[in-house]
Amino acid sequence: AAFGVLVTIHAGNVPGWTAFEDLSETLAAVTACVACASRARTDRREDSVPGTSGQRAWRAWRLLAYGTGAWALGHIVWSVYEVGLGITPRPPSPLDAALLTSSVLVVGGLLSMVSTPAGRLSHLRGAAEGMLIAAGCFLISWCAVIAAVFASSGASTSGQIIHLAYPVLDAVALSGVFFVVVRGKEQLPAGLGLLALGIVCVAFSDSAFWYLNALNPSFPRVSPIDIGWVAGFLVITLAATQPQRPRRW
């Protein structure tokens, strides 16, 4: 809450507040990474029976730890360029690889928490549901964000691809959240609802940031949009610390 008030009051490009914003977001992502890694280690120790939901859960939390860690690493490099060198990285750059990989790993971790009953028909049904949800989210995102980013981007072809990748992956993340809501009804890991909420917060800030920067290249570096990143990673941290439900024998 304090972070939200401060970035709202001090919105702009003041170097000191830019450093504060970068440091806060990085610390939030590192905290989420440590919490997810700890949850994966705990679940792996308590649920070591092959093929159980517990085994699936610890693998999912491990993917989430890798994803949030990749985001933290990418943002550290971004901060060094922006605060230390006074340079704003422009895509394409190695920095984009870390941030885009983060999105893929986080979505993969979320989806791997939902089990699909055995059988080819069940798998096909799950794939069809996922594709329909993804198509709907992509169309909404295209109308609201992606088309504006594509039309406003004056970068090279590779730069345009990178620009488009961010909102596209955000649409995929939202699709993953909806898919989990549709498919996940029983034997869900503790904290899954908070995890989905955290992913939505991060995806919202990502899309808003790239959309507003595409429309206005001089959009301030520090703004209320930053609240979504910090809140999202802290909510993911809370999700990872939720106690596991006791098993029913």
Side-chain angles (χ1 to χ4, degrees), residues 21-137:
E21 176 258 353
D22 284 340
L23 179 61
S24 299
E25 292 174 2
T26 301
L27 288 177
V30 170
T31 302
C33 176
V34 173
C36 291
S38 177
R39 175 65 178 272
R41 185 169 57 251
T42 300
D43 285 359
R44 184 178 187 181
R45 184 171 59 249
E46 295 180 354
D47 301 286
S48 58
V49 180
T52 62
S53 60
Q55 186 184 48
R56 186 179 64 252
W58 77 257
R59 293 182 186 278
W61 287 111
R62 186 173 64 177
L63 282 176
L64 290 163
Y66 290 153
T68 52
W71 197 96
L73 179 61
H75 205 67
I76 289 173
V77 177
W78 177 288
S79 302
V80 170
Y81 273 97
E82 189 174 51
V83 179
L85 304 177
I87 302 173
T88 300
R90 297 294 180 184
S93 70
L95 170 65
D96 297 302
L99 297 177
L100 294 175
T101 300
S102 169
S103 298
V104 174
L105 291 172
V106 168
V107 174
L110 175 66
L111 294 179
S112 62
M113 288 187 177
V114 180
S115 62
T116 301
R120 181 175 300 178
L121 183 60
S122 179
H123 288 296
L124 290 175
R125 177 185 174 187
E129 290 178 357
M131 291 176 63
L132 287 173
I133 294 172
C137 289

Side-chain angles (χ1 to χ4, degrees), residues 87-184:
I87 302 173
T88 300
R90 297 294 180 184
S93 70
L95 170 65
D96 297 302
L99 297 177
L100 294 175
T101 300
S102 169
S103 298
V104 174
L105 291 172
V106 168
V107 174
L110 175 66
L111 294 179
S112 62
M113 288 187 177
V114 180
S115 62
T116 301
R120 181 175 300 178
L121 183 60
S122 179
H123 288 296
L124 290 175
R125 177 185 174 187
E129 290 178 357
M131 291 176 63
L132 287 173
I133 294 172
C137 289
F138 178 78
L139 289 175
I140 294 173
S141 298
W142 178 269
C143 296
V145 177
I146 301 176
V149 173
F150 182 79
S152 302
S153 177
S156 60
T157 302
S158 57
Q160 286 183 334
I161 293 174
I162 297 298
H163 270 297
L164 288 172
Y166 284 97
V168 167
L169 286 177
D170 290 334
V172 172
L174 294 177
S175 303
V177 171
F178 285 121
F179 182 77
V180 168
V181 171
V182 172
R183 298 288 295 181

